[in-house]
DNA sequence: CGTATGGTTGACAATCCTCAATCCGGGTGG
DNA sequence: CCACCCGGATTGAGGATTGTCAACCATACG
């Protein structure tokens, strides 16, 4: 989203006019490497706090609580930047790869220096933090105030927005998450999630090709099942 | 939090060394006025998108859903900056005054111009967005993965951190929220919240002086009832 | 001191979770 | 190419937690 166009309804901090290649600047300052599914991305590399830029695949931020509870707080898609800002591994937080992909690791200090040297970088960084905050706010609404089925619909809306491909009248999405991960993202348990999915299959909203490839057969209906779909469409954009 | 010291464990974007009076710069660029309890702060003033700086009292960001559901997503305390970043009033979002106080309204464009002109402002803005994102992440964990009683403990921890006053061995807090607001903040309903509060009173953790003044009589015990108290202590700091 | 708003409490209903059994898909080896 | 196997996914029965609605109580105001 560092790479995305700015939304006209918000402040752009003056940085988006004739902006240089901000992501490129950051990427050249880091090291690229591959990650595999389930890999943990440490918050430090050789004593330095690091940030990660997603090139390919997707990452998520999780928080492990006592009694085998886990919260997945946010998902990061290609073009987006992620880091554990204030919480650390000591608080049970960790950044995980949801699937195989490539990321660029950049030292947090380097990002800070680039930002203070270049107002474009700084503006983009602030802007991305805004998007990130807005997404987590939406996510808090999802897990806090939506019913189980509404949450599942919300997840599918997000997934379609970020990864959907239109194949003649239907939309296909490769879900980056296993059922257990989706459940922890939606603050449901996997069994309950499964029940809602079968109900939605029966209602003709969605089908599956295998376990991870969803086929949305009624996009309109899906949007109607989620009370905050408008908000989600705003904050989740490629 | 624009006014707060930076946390050594995170990036400071190079802006906090010998920083000028960033809040002052922003405050002088806006207009100060009083708000009363329950007042709605519009996202625009004379067609311009605006941000609000909290001088006194507290604000909250709410999202109204169908069927009388409401989510309170974040609370903003004195010294903090708030705005509806990506969502708007059209999405059911609004910024509300939790209690009487004073705020400064600044045009979003002005903030953007100040930020692009002054790297200190920009850095502080980015930094505050980080804090804000981290708080909402913690809040998503609270409403998503904690039990009812754990959520109530989490709220009291936050309130004590931001507004607690130590009065010989006990900590007193003026809660900015009514029971209904606390409930919507914690994604509980008011009746259930009340039950947990009476249970915690019975357990000797907290007492009340009237409806809004809480007296925490067992701080240690309170922290133990909330699985993410360490995280909350980090992200909620005056 | 009386009234109104908001808070508390009880009985019951709905939702979601737990645990166990079963099923299926994706991989491996024959 | 097919049979097998393993891990993840689904399903069912029952229990726990939280929500709903109505009555009652207390606090904050006038």
């Amino acid at each position: 989203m560092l790479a995305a166009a700015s939304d006209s309804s918000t402040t752009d901090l003056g940085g988006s006019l004739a902006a240089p290649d901000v992501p490129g600047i950051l990427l050249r300052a880091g090291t690229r490497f591959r990650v595999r599914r389930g890999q943990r991305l440490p918050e430090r590399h050789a004593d330095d706090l690091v940030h990660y830029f997603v090139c390919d695949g997707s990452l998520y931020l999780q928080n492990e609580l006592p009694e085998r509870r886990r919260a997945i707080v946010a998902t990061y898609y290609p073009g987006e930047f992620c880091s554990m800002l204030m919480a650390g591994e000591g608080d049970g937080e960790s950044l995980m790869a949801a699937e195989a992909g490539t990321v660029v690791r950049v030292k947090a200090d380097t990002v800070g220096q680039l930002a203070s040297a270049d107002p474009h970088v700084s503006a983009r960084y602030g802007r991305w933090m805004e998007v990130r905050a807005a997404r987590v706010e939406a996510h808090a609404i999802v897990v806090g105030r939506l019913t189980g089925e509404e949450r599942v619909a919300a997840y599918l809306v997000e997934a379609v927005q970020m990864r959907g491909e239109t194949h003649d009248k239907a939309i296909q999405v490769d879900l980056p998450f296993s059922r257990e991960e989706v459940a922890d993202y939606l603050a449901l348990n996997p069994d309950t999630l499964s029940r809602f999915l079968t109900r939605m299959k029966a209602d003709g909203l969605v089908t599956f090709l295998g376990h991870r490839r969803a086929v949305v057969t009624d996009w309109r209906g899906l949007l109607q099942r989620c009370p905050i779909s408008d908000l989600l469409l705003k904050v989740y954009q490629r």
Side-chain angles (χ1 to χ4, degrees), chain A:
Chain A
M1 188 46 97
L2 275 171
S6 94
D7 182 315
S8 62
S9 72
T10 50
T11 327
D12 67 9
L13 287 170
S16 59
L17 301 173
D21 176 27
V22 173
I25 292 172
L26 290 166
L27 294 193
R28 280 189 292 279
T31 43
R32 176 189 229 103
F33 62 98
R34 312 204 92 255
V35 294
R36 60 186 188 284
R37 168 161 174 65
Q39 185 175 336
R40 205 158 146 285
L41 301 180
E43 63 180 348
R44 298 179 174 276
H45 176 74
D47 287 347
D48 293 307
L49 274 169
V50 294
H51 295 196
Y52 295 94
F53 184 87
V54 184
C55 300
D56 208 44
S58 56
L59 309 182
Y60 61 87
L61 183 65
Q62 72 172 18
N63 190 297
E64 282 164 321
L65 308 170
E67 299 156 37
R68 292 185 293 111
R69 279 183 287 183
R70 171 176 71 159
I72 293 182
V73 172
T75 316
Y76 301 101
Y77 298 95
E80 297 173 359
F81 207 59
C82 54
S83 56
M84 288 147 67
L85 297 176
M86 313 212 49
E89 284 163 4
D91 306 297
E93 294 230 346
S94 38
L95 204 53
M96 307 283 294
E99 56 194 337
T102 55
V103 300
V104 171
R105 187 202 317 115
V106 194
K107 283 203 249 181
D109 287 344
T110 307
V111 177
Q113 285 160 19
L114 288 171
S116 58
D118 185 341
H120 294 296
V121 175
S122 178
R124 278 289 182 88
Y125 186 82
R127 171 71 186 154
W128 163 235
M129 278 296 130
E130 288 180 0
V131 174
R132 176 169 171 174
R135 283 191 188 175
V136 190
E137 282 172 9
H139 190 249
I141 298 171
V142 169
V143 299
R145 282 291 163 183
L146 301 194
T147 65
E149 187 164 319
E150 289 169 344
R151 290 182 217 182
V152 178
Y155 179 66
L156 290 174
V157 169
E158 173 187 336
V160 165
Q161 280 289 105
M162 301 311 286
R163 302 167 58 110
E165 307 151 21
T166 307
H167 283 153
D168 54 358
K169 300 206 64 159
I171 307 170
Q172 297 199 6
V173 205
D174 256 317
L175 301 181
F177 286 169
S178 69
R179 291 288 185 275
E180 189 178 1
E181 287 165 331
V182 176
D184 286 336
Y185 189 52
L186 296 177
L188 289 171
N189 87 16
D191 309 311
T192 308
L193 168 65
S194 189
R195 276 179 249 276
F196 289 124
L197 282 174
T198 52
R199 192 180 303 175
M200 292 169 86
K201 278 187 262 185
D203 292 351
L205 293 168
V206 68
T207 312
F208 278 84
L209 265 44
H211 284 146
R212 296 177 95 117
R213 188 160 188 86
V215 184
V216 174
T217 46
D218 182 4
W219 177 236
R220 200 54 67 92
L222 193 63
L223 292 173
Q224 282 171 356
R225 298 229 177 177
C226 172
I228 60 164
S229 51
D230 289 343
L231 178 56
L232 295 176
L233 294 179
K234 271 196 192 175
V235 298
Y236 291 103
Q237 282 180 303
R238 276 186 272 209

